[in-house]
Amino acid sequence: MRALRLIGVAALATLAIVIAAPAAHAQGAQGRYQLGSKAFVGAPFVLAIVVDGLEEQPAPKLPSLTVPGLEIIEGDADFRGGFNLTVNGRRVQGGGGTWVLTYRVTAEKAGLFNLPAVDVTQGATTVPIRGGNLEVIDLPTTNDMRFAVTLPQRPVYVGETFPIELEWLLRKNPQDQQFGVPLLNMDSTLSVQVPTPANPRQVLEFATDKGQQKLGFAQDRVTRDGLTYDRFRFPLQVTARKSGPIVIPPASVVVELEIGQGRDAFGFPVARTDTFRATDVQRTLEVRPVPETDKPPSFAGAVGSSYSIAARASRSVVQLGEPLELEITVKSDQRLDTVNLPPLDGPGGLPKAKFAAPADAPVGELSDDGKQKTWKVSVQVTAADTTEIPGLAFAYFDPAKASYQTIHSEPIALSVKGGSVVGAAQVVGQPAGSGAPPTAESSSVLSLAGVDLALSPPGAGGGPLGRGVLWAIVVALYLAPLALLGLALARRRGAGRREEVGEVKAALRALAAEIERARQAPAKDAAIALSRCLSTTARTLGRTVDDTLIARIENAGFAPDAKGEPLPSELRAELADLLDTWTKDARRGGGRGGAAALVLIVATAWPGAARADEGMTAARGAYQDALAATEPAAKQRAFAAAAAAFGRVVAARPSAAVYTDLGNAALGAGDLGAAVLAYRRAMALDRDDGRARRNLAWVRSRLPAELRPASTSATETLFFFHAAWSRDRRLLVGAFAFAIAILVLVPWRGARRRSLTPIAVIGGIVWATMTISLVIEDPRASDAVVMQAAELRTADSAVAPVARATPLPAGTELTIGERRGDWVRVHLAGTLSGWLPAGAVERVAR
């Protein structure tokens, strides 16, 4: 009620309409009813009991108010301190303070209502409040405004989250609007969630039982019954808590609208306004219970049309009886506040013969938007022959289809007590009875025969220049020659200017010397020379000197004590300030910091090479430990640790060599998705990286033929260097060529050498060629890699039919066409396309 309390106090401070006369004093205290705002039918308003002369503690209890025809909701009690006195050095409170007890009142009809006499009690003090009359005014309606609540045009189900919209139509500018929306206060039957406003500036406040609530709106124009309105739409997300018909009382808004023009007391034109009310009709929402027939065991209250479930284990190699953390994530297109996880030890969960799981799942963690919920559960493997965590069932009721749907997570391969080491890329097993050779899609054990697992040479961890240094050098190669060319041209045109600058410097030095001499020499000797030097310096600078200042200097030289005393200190200080101003003005416009700025750009962009080298050393050590390990489980863990270390290195300083090392480590850990992604990023930085090219080809050869991408594109053969040179190399070559061409054109000794013109032309051609190749090159920003096995579906829904009989294995390369919420449309080799969860893929471009 904090917001309601603040509104009531603010309103009472500006508009206090006394309804009842003050009551009799009770130990110096008195109280009264006050109205915080005008009282209109259908619009909530603030009624307060104001009590003066009470102490700050304890807080008085709000007396209960019951008035036929009025809906009264208790608000809050707010204390406003009285005045203070100081007696004999001690501060004491005098006169007590004021307590404001607020109520939110809504009237269903106009009329005069009798407010009861009540008592306000604070400890042993009782303050009687005399009753009075409250007048509620009915307001006219107008075709210039409408207000309505839009409900779904179908029955909804308990637990279903569905949209409701408040619609406000206006033909004139509103002022001082007051909304009354009972829907916002029906917590016992409907749970209302207010979406985060898309534009923080497009919000309006609505009064609720919990205080003021800001609702975001979207604005457009519509035509209704031949009239054009500005429409304000306030979206809400509502969840039904109980079944049966739910009656929603009419919503209303009271607002001041312009009705014409008038004049103020001074005769100036002003807009005349009047207060109007727009009221919706009573509406009924039909809420049905979810059916008990055919309810799956894995149903835990989820109601909606789009859900997905994914499971991830903390590791894939466990000892028998060792605890294993299982992370289960459910996503939807609506909020998941009321969604629970079905029992893991029940039907559709973990087999009791192989797993020990808690009967009740822990509390899930919601994402910021409420559309993703994650549970972390600790389970134990109790059977040595366990080879996988089976797909977990999750059932939900689809109100659009009026039936239950059941989805499953992907299975997770396990190796228990010395079993086969299986990576995350081998989640999907080979179909029974298949005679096909093992591939990345079907194999349960990944053999790395034929993979170049050698590390990059020592020192290659730095790879090509870091991105910051590369761009700093490129910018310097463009700006430095242009700056030198500009300086050279300016030097040719500024010989006279240099002479002028020399004269200015000499004049300023002479004036400074005369001012310094005037500090010691008698005023009679210094005044004449100083005034002449001041005039000369002013002419040199193109300035004018105040004649009054010259006269003051000369007068000081002829003063009676001028023979023995120097010029007055205040006059010398004024001359010193004038000299300082002229000197600063003369120094402006020098423009000599260009070269220093370019050096600064390069120097500050250079990364911390020492830290990168330390990380590279640790990563290489972890990789060597993985190669030396003999036990499969330990080998896989060591490769995973090495991959994590290489990942930290490339995050700080991208390098083709380190990306390849990262891909090799990920491949050793069984993570085909991360391996292919690293190889692709290595080749994006350096297309000559043979290890990345060979290992990527090896992984592609393990994929089904229909999933293998084409090795080259037509644009790679446009220029002779296009397929071999990286973008970074072409950027540098183009920048060097541009610098050479410009530097050749610089008139170093007063005139350009015509014999060097061909070199400038060649440099210009090389620069143009490199630039064109960069411009026309396809950046392949849509290229992506499947990071974990996922079902390819025909639509952006977890219940849509699959577009391929088996899931896409990790490491599959594809391109992203479009994104809809948590889904992306992808295109694979050939004509295959479909929809994947956005979290299952990652773009190659960073």
Side-chain angles (χ1 to χ4, degrees), residues 101-418:
L101 316 179
T102 58
Y103 301 81
R104 191 173 71 88
V105 183
T106 305
E108 298 178 357
K109 60 181 180 179
L112 201 62
F113 296 89
N114 294 322
L115 298 178
V118 295
D119 291 334
V120 176
T121 302
Q122 184 188 60
T125 301
T126 298
V127 181
I129 309 298
R130 188 176 299 172
N133 295 326
L134 171 64
E135 183 179 7
V136 179
I137 303 171
D138 199 0
L139 292 174
T141 60
T142 175
N143 287 332
D144 293 332
M145 177 175 63
R146 300 184 183 184
F147 193 58
V149 178
T150 304
L151 302 181
Q153 299 300 311
R154 60 171 177 83
V156 298
Y157 291 84
V158 173
E160 177 186 357
T161 299
F162 50 90
I164 285 182
E165 189 173 83
L166 307 180
E167 183 184 67
W168 189 21
L169 304 181
L170 286 167
R171 299 183 65 222
K172 294 182 179 180
N173 291 331
Q175 297 180 22
D176 301 330
Q177 60 273 1
Q178 300 177 48
F179 295 98
V181 183
L183 170 68
L184 300 176
N185 303 312
M186 301 177 64
D187 294 341
S188 61
T189 54
L190 298 174
S191 172
V192 180
Q193 296 94 36
V194 178
T196 302
N199 185 348
R201 296 184 178 181
Q202 291 188 337
V203 296
L204 290 177
E205 290 190 345
F206 286 67
T208 71
D209 291 347
K210 301 176 181 178
Q212 295 295 108
Q213 175 71 61
K214 290 184 177 181
L215 271 62
F217 63 83
Q219 184 177 357
D220 58 6
R221 293 181 70 86
V222 296
T223 300
R224 299 284 173 82
D225 300 331
L227 298 177
T228 301
Y229 294 89
D230 286 317
R231 178 172 63 173
F232 298 82
R233 295 180 297 148
F234 303 86
L236 300 172
Q237 291 292 320
V238 180
T239 304
R241 296 181 183 271
K242 59 173 59 176
S243 60
I246 297 178
V247 176
I248 301 177
S252 64
V253 59
V254 174
V255 66
E256 289 190 9
L257 297 178
E258 182 179 337
I259 60 173
Q261 292 289 327
R263 293 187 178 274
D264 61 14
F266 299 97
F268 293 102
V270 294
R272 292 191 300 112
T273 62
D274 200 356
T275 306
F276 296 92
R277 175 170 56 91
T279 305
D280 190 24
V281 299
Q282 177 176 291
R283 299 182 183 274
T284 301
L285 180 69
E286 183 182 351
V287 182
R288 297 177 179 176
V290 293
E292 295 296 327
T293 306
D294 299 328
K295 180 185 291 187
S298 59
F299 177 74
V303 180
S305 298
S306 177
Y307 286 91
S308 66
I309 182 172
R312 185 175 67 178
S314 58
R315 56 190 181 278
S316 58
V317 179
V318 296
Q319 297 294 324
L320 189 65
E322 187 179 20
L324 176 70
E325 186 176 86
L326 194 60
E327 184 178 285
I328 305 169
T329 301
V330 173
K331 296 182 180 180
S332 180
D333 59 355
Q334 61 189 34
R335 291 190 64 87
L336 301 175
D337 304 74
T338 61
V339 172
N340 298 311
L341 195 67
L344 291 180
D345 60 348
L350 300 175
K352 293 184 178 180
K354 296 186 176 183
F355 294 91
D360 299 323
V363 177
E365 180 180 351
L366 275 174
S367 61
D368 292 339
D369 62 359
K371 296 182 179 181
Q372 175 177 311
K373 202 168 190 178
T374 302
W375 294 265
K376 294 183 179 180
V377 186
S378 181
V379 301
Q380 285 183 311
V381 182
T382 58
D385 61 344
T386 304
T387 59
E388 68 174 13
I389 297 174
L392 302 177
F394 180 84
Y396 62 93
F397 182 78
D398 189 340
K401 299 178 180 179
S403 63
Y404 288 97
Q405 309 291 323
T406 302
I407 57 176
H408 296 80
S409 64
E410 297 290 346
I412 302 174
L414 284 180
S415 177
V416 180
K417 200 175 182 177

Side-chain angles (χ1 to χ4, degrees), residues 29-41:
Q30 59 182 2
R32 61 196 177 276
Y33 281 111
Q34 283 190 353
L35 187 62
S37 61
K38 294 180 181 180
F40 298 121
V41 174

Side-chain angles (χ1 to χ4, degrees), residues 558-641:
F558 292 103
D561 57 351
K563 292 183 178 181
E565 297 293 333
L567 287 176
S569 58
E570 62 272 11
L571 185 56
R572 295 197 310 270
E574 185 176 350
L575 290 170
D577 291 341
L578 181 61
L579 173 64
D580 184 61
T581 301
W582 285 357
T583 302
K584 290 180 178 178
D585 290 345
R587 288 176 179 173
R588 290 197 182 106
R592 299 191 173 203
L598 291 174
V599 174
L600 182 63
I601 291 174
V602 177
T604 56
W606 198 269
R611 291 193 299 270
D613 290 343
E614 293 177 1
M616 189 64 181
T617 301
R620 293 174 68 88
Y623 190 88
Q624 296 290 356
D625 293 342
L627 291 176
T630 57
E631 201 273 326
K635 194 178 191 73
Q636 188 183 35
R637 288 194 297 269
F639 270 125

